[in-house]
Amino acid sequence: MSVISNHMPTAELQALDAAHHMHPFTSNEALANKGARVITRADGVYLTDSDGNRILDGMAGLWCVNIGYGRTEMADAAARQMKELPYYNTFFMTTHVPAIALAQEVAKLAPADMNQIFFASSGSEANDTNIRLVRTYWAQKGKPGKSHIISRKNAYHGSSVGSGSLGGMTYMHEQGGMPIPGIHHINQPDWWSEGGDMTPEEFGVACAKELEAKILELGEDKVAAFIAEPVQGAGGVIVPPETYWPEIQRICDEYEILLIADEVICGFGRLGAWFGSEVMGIKPHIMTIAKGLSSGYQPIGGSIVCDEVAEVIGQTEFNHGYTYSGHPVAAAVALENLRIMQEENLIEHVRTAAAPALKAGLETLADHPLVGEVSIKGMMASLALTPHKDSRAKFASERGTIGTICRDRAFANNLVMRHVGDRMVVSPPLIIQQEDIDALVERAGKALDEAYSEVKSKGLLKAAS
Ligand SMILES: *Cc1c(COP(=O)(O)O)cnc(C)c1O
């Protein structure tokens, strides 16, 4: 076997990568021309690439490396478990200690009436599980027709056929026959982009009432569940107006619709609590978890299920599961992650130090001529770019053009800041300290300045008509 190592020249690694590796959410032709950025190691909140650059990871990987990189305790937990029991399944009346221990720990952290966890290896898988859970629940209750699920446009719930259908990304739906039947999408509560002349409060209620209208259109006896992220992440960090969630909760209660909170990003500390539902005042029946559950050190996800739903499902054999449901190494690593989070009081750090510092820092960028809105909740934030602040105008250029320019300028300044369309997104590791928050804000400011010059010089500072 040929040995490929960190010591090979970047160009050689890029050529091999382009020759054999199909990347997610990427045009591989474009990638082959440009060459992938090769990340070789990471420590704390910093990545190192194959050219020796030290890059501040403002995205915690993909919103997941909550405890930061390079934690040897996590490696030790994995090694210990691999030596003791590298794999066994949890099908057919068997179990093992890591799965038992992790399920108990997650149940302890979850709201009091949520005590059962169904494990998966990712958020996508967990949301596929959720589709089957809610439909099976209503079938068990003698209402098999109550099978439709309502979600939102621009939501992200994963990339499998089921979870991608729950998601509201039209550019995903255009490929491969999604959404599957029985899934419906209402508008998202994105006041800045879509609120028109309404106040945010009016708009929040109006968006929530779309759920009621959709339930009435489909028929209450046809709707199984509503799924939403407490704060939309991949959609661009859309923080709903304060009026939104209370009205959604009222509607779900009134029409007996199960509420699924997709906590894959919001869960495990990102909003300054164990779950985003606590922060947003929601009482879900099911919560989807992944990402921060293991800080990304191992692939693991799951569904936390409330007692009532778990009891009804438990009355039948649930014909569903994954080879790696509750995988012992992933479970042991997730357990170690939760131990570290608790021992280091990470939730407290987010609530009292990191989130207020990030907010104060990013709000200094609100005056920048390119920035229309600074949207922030806990440790997730976005800057909406605009050619004209007062009218909340969009750019005349194709969506994402300005965001891409700004993203590239951030990279050039050794900051990972992702763009979603023309919003710049920040979601750093939760362990980040003041000094690195200052560096993050300074680099983001530089990226904005350089993007502004480039946008002006290219004649792109034009509002859509
Ligand atoms: C990332 C994400 C998912 C999908 O998780 P994967 O582990 O990538 O399958 C689902 N829901 C939300 C809210 C996410 O951010």
Side-chain angles (χ1 to χ4, degrees), residues 122-125 127 156-158 229 262 264-265 290-291:
S122 68
S124 301
E125 286 182 0
N127 277 326
Y156 190 77
H157 296 300
E229 302 149 81
D262 186 337
V264 170
I265 290 175
K291 297 194 171 115

Side-chain angles (χ1 to χ4, degrees), residues 116-139:
Q116 297 267 342
I117 294 80
F118 191 102
F119 287 116
S121 297
S122 68
S124 301
E125 286 182 0
N127 277 326
D128 278 17
T129 297
N130 291 341
I131 294 174
R132 302 196 60 206
L133 272 175
V134 299
R135 289 176 171 171
T136 305
Y137 170 82
W138 288 114

Side-chain angles (χ1 to χ4, degrees), residues 4-18 34-40 48-53:
I4 295 178
S5 82
N6 276 351
H7 303 294
M8 282 171 69
T10 301
E12 230 170 283
L13 289 169
Q14 288 171 330
L16 283 169
D17 181 68
K34 201 171 166 209
R37 180 182 287 260
V38 183
I39 304 300
T40 52
T48 304
D49 72 11
S50 54
D51 296 327
N53 296 304

